Each structure stands twice: as C-alpha cells, then as structure tokens.
Amino acid sequence: MHLYIAVPATAALILRAYWKNSLTTTGIIVAGLTAAVHALHPWSVFFSLLCVFFLGGTSVTKVKHDVKARLTLSSSGASGGEGPRTHIQVLANSVVASVLILLHYRQLRARGSIKDAEMDCWSYGEDLLVVGIVSNYAAVTADTFSSELGILSKGKPRLLTSWNFREVPPGTNGGVSMLGTLAGLLGAFTIALTSAILLPFCTEGSTLGAGKYFGHSQSGIESGKGWGWPDILRWILAVTLWGGLGSLLDSALGGWFQASVIDSRTGKVIEGVGGKKVPITESWPHDRKKGDKPSRLIESGLGLLDNNAVNLLMAFLMSLGGMLLAGYVWGVPVQSILA
C-alpha cells in the first residue's frame, strides 16, 4: 500500500479514536502498529477491512449507548455499556489477521510480486491466506455488530448453549436473538462487500498477474482460474454467511467457557472492564449476615476464559476454518499457507 495513502489514513484513524475516546492510550498505540502491519501489504484491501471493522464497530457501539448502559452493570461499579477498548481487545480482534497478512506478504516477496503488486491479481482457487484474513474480519465484525445491536432486542435473548434454549438477561454470554443474528450478518456483509470491491480478482479475460496469463481463462465456476461475476457473488454470500457463523460460534464459546455474572439485587449482567473476567470474591463480604445471598451470582459458563480470550479463539478458529473449507473446495492443501 502506498505510503502517501497509508500514513494519513492511519493518522486519521488514530485521531478519530482519540477524539471519540474509542480506545485507551495503549489501545491507540497498538492499533497504530496493527494499521502499520496492514499497510505494509501491497494490496489496499486488508487495510481497508481494518478500517471498515474499526469504523463500523465504533459506530454501532455508540448506537443508543445510554439505553445499553442501563441494561447491564460494570464490574467497576459504574453503569454498563462498552467503554474505550484496550490494547488487549484490539489484539484479540486483529492479531490473527496481522499474522496472516505478514505470511501473505512473505509469499508475495518469494514469488517476486511486491514490486509488481499493481499488476498482480488473485486467481481463483489460490492463496488461502487471503480467505483466512477476510474470514477473520467477517467474523469479528459480525460479532461486534451482533453484540452491540442485539442487546437492544425487545425480547430477551436465549442461551445458545442451554438444552432448552432458555431466556437469559441481556448481555449474557451465549445469549442470542433474532436481532443480534441479523445484525451479525449485516456486519459480515460490510466486510464481504468491501473485499469484493477491493480484492484484485483475476477476472475472465484478464491479462494481469506476475507471470500469469488469463487471456482466455474460464471463470472459477467453470473450473477455470478467472473470477467471473457468479464467483464474486458467491464470494460475497459465502463471506457473509461465514461471518454470521463466527458470531454464533463466539456466542457458543462464550456460553461454555466464559462466566456470565449476575447482580442478584437487580438481575442485570455485570460486564468485566476491558473484556476481563468479573471478580466475584467481593460478593462474600466478611460482615454479611447469616442467610444473605451473595451479590454476584454466576448465571452460566465455566469461567475458564475472559471475553478477550473468547474473541481471539473465535477469530483463530474462523480464519483456520475458512482456509480449510476453501482448501477442500478448491483442492488446495492448507500447508500451502506456509510455503
């Protein structure tokens, strides 16, 4: 990506995060480094996906923020609602993509495509790393949209990991709703559409490509190497559905491995600051009276992971799963990502 585009674009993102109080100080530093890694790649699409995720995520976070703040509580004692995101939260959503981008950059250098990046294109059925990077952002964007908009559902969410799909308070890990599911698909669609517009597809009749010629290539749907419109439309649909599935996977992982703590007096979910675990030791004060119930109760989940670890695990599984699935469909071994 050209420096004259990457530098001002990164600066604009950092300044917006500062002015909008979207990130903590360390979060801004890590976000800047993450943007630099994305900008290192000669294709602009990955930096753009990061921008779409950040701008979209911060925008839905602000939607009816005052309403969402009344639906949950913070473990710090303040009202609920998402505060500035920390460096850990930034890494949980982007570190997998960053690693895959560096691997793909290494592949482009190895085949001499860096200098001719503007003349290079992505042929159908190749470069599984591209699938992994897009899968990461489709999944984490879907999860963010689902979490931030789904909590506004008029009906109570239902616990995905319970045998009877029981109702739970808003904000419960593993809770799903129709609104949240549709919002997740919308988030994934923004990534799918952005990637379809900016990815350098080798189209039918394309002569682009470092050492490649597709002058009379068939489209991928016809077992060729070029991307026809049917292939690109299927790509948009597949990325959207895969991202939506990532949001559901995040709910399942959160329902199983992340403890949802309820305030026994209000019945509201208590959220950990910065995605950390909610401490429950304070729920048993030394001077409590006999028969008093603890103020914090575990609604569901084993409490093995915090929200950041769940997000990171989900992003890793969806990126890996996307590459495995694409490799199976295209007949490409997944080991090629390390070639």
Side-chain angles (χ1 to χ4, degrees):
M1 186 174 177
H2 295 295
L3 283 177
Y4 63 81
I5 298 176
V7 172
T10 301
L13 287 177
I14 291 174
L15 288 175
R16 185 184 188 278
Y18 176 76
W19 285 331
K20 297 287 187 178
N21 196 31
S22 302
L23 300 173
T24 63
T25 301
T26 52
I28 290 176
I29 294 173
V30 172
L33 294 174
T34 300
V37 170
H38 286 59
L40 176 67
H41 197 283
W43 297 354
S44 63
V45 58
F46 302 136
F47 184 88
S48 300
L49 293 181
L50 175 65
C51 293
V52 170
F53 164 67
F54 173 71
L55 295 176
T58 54
S59 296
V60 296
T61 299
K62 300 298 182 182
V63 173
K64 294 188 176 181
H65 187 270
D66 55 334
V67 175
K68 291 185 285 190
R70 295 194 296 268
L71 294 175
T72 60
L73 299 174
S74 172
S75 60
S76 65
S79 60
E82 184 71 53
R85 285 177 166 81
T86 67
H87 63 290
I88 300 298
Q89 290 173 297
V90 172
L91 289 173
N93 288 294
S94 62
V95 69
V96 173
S98 296
V99 171
L100 297 181
I101 286 171
L102 291 175
L103 288 175
H104 192 244
Y105 177 80
R106 172 179 167 272
Q107 287 187 348
L108 291 181
R109 285 185 61 90
R111 61 183 185 232
S113 300
I114 295 296
K115 293 182 179 180
D116 299 321
E118 294 182 357
M119 295 298 293
D120 193 26
C121 63
W122 182 35
S123 58
Y124 186 91
E126 294 185 5
D127 286 354
L128 296 182
L129 287 168
V130 175
V131 178
I133 298 164
V134 176
S135 294
N136 177 98
Y137 281 114
V140 298
T141 305
D143 177 53
T144 301
F145 274 56
S146 179
S147 299
E148 295 295 339
L149 298 179
I151 195 173
L152 297 172
S153 176
K154 293 182 178 179
K156 283 190 175 183
R158 293 185 176 273
L159 188 60
L160 183 63
T161 54
S162 64
W163 67 271
N164 60 349
F165 212 47
R166 63 184 173 89
E167 290 186 346
V168 289
T172 301
N173 299 308
V176 296
S177 66
M178 181 60 69
L179 177 61
T181 301
L182 294 177
L185 289 172
L186 174 62
F189 176 73
T190 64
I191 295 298
L193 184 61
T194 302
S195 67
I197 293 173
L198 296 178
L199 274 172
F201 295 108
C202 295
T203 58
E204 298 171 89
S206 172
T207 57
L208 300 178
K212 305 174 185 175
Y213 178 71
F214 297 99
H216 301 287
S217 176
Q218 294 177 310
S219 66
I221 202 172
E222 298 172 325
S223 301
K225 289 294 185 180
W227 288 80
W229 277 111
D231 302 311
I232 296 176
L233 291 176
R234 288 194 307 165
W235 167 262
I236 295 174
L237 178 61
V239 171
T240 300
L241 294 178
W242 191 250
L245 181 61
S247 176
L248 293 177
L249 175 62
D250 188 90
S251 295
L253 293 173
W256 281 321
F257 301 118
Q258 186 180 350
S260 291
V261 181
I262 304 293
D263 180 75
S264 62
R265 295 160 296 187
T266 63
K268 295 180 179 180
V269 171
I270 302 175
E271 298 181 317
V273 177
K276 296 180 181 179
K277 291 183 179 181
V278 177
I280 58 175
T281 53
E282 296 177 359
S283 61
W284 293 92
H286 296 294
D287 59 348
R288 71 183 180 89
K289 297 179 181 180
K290 184 177 181 180
D292 284 351
K293 292 183 179 180
S295 61
R296 295 180 177 182
L297 302 172
I298 296 180
E299 167 73 17
S300 61
L302 298 175
L304 299 177
L305 303 175
D306 64 13
N307 187 63
N308 298 321
V310 168
N311 288 343
L312 176 60
L313 179 59
M314 182 275 291
F316 171 76
L317 292 176
M318 292 308 295
S319 293
L320 179 61
M323 291 187 291
L324 288 172
L325 182 60
Y328 173 78
V329 173
W330 292 340
V332 178
V334 74
Q335 295 92 327
S336 64
I337 66 175
L338 300 176

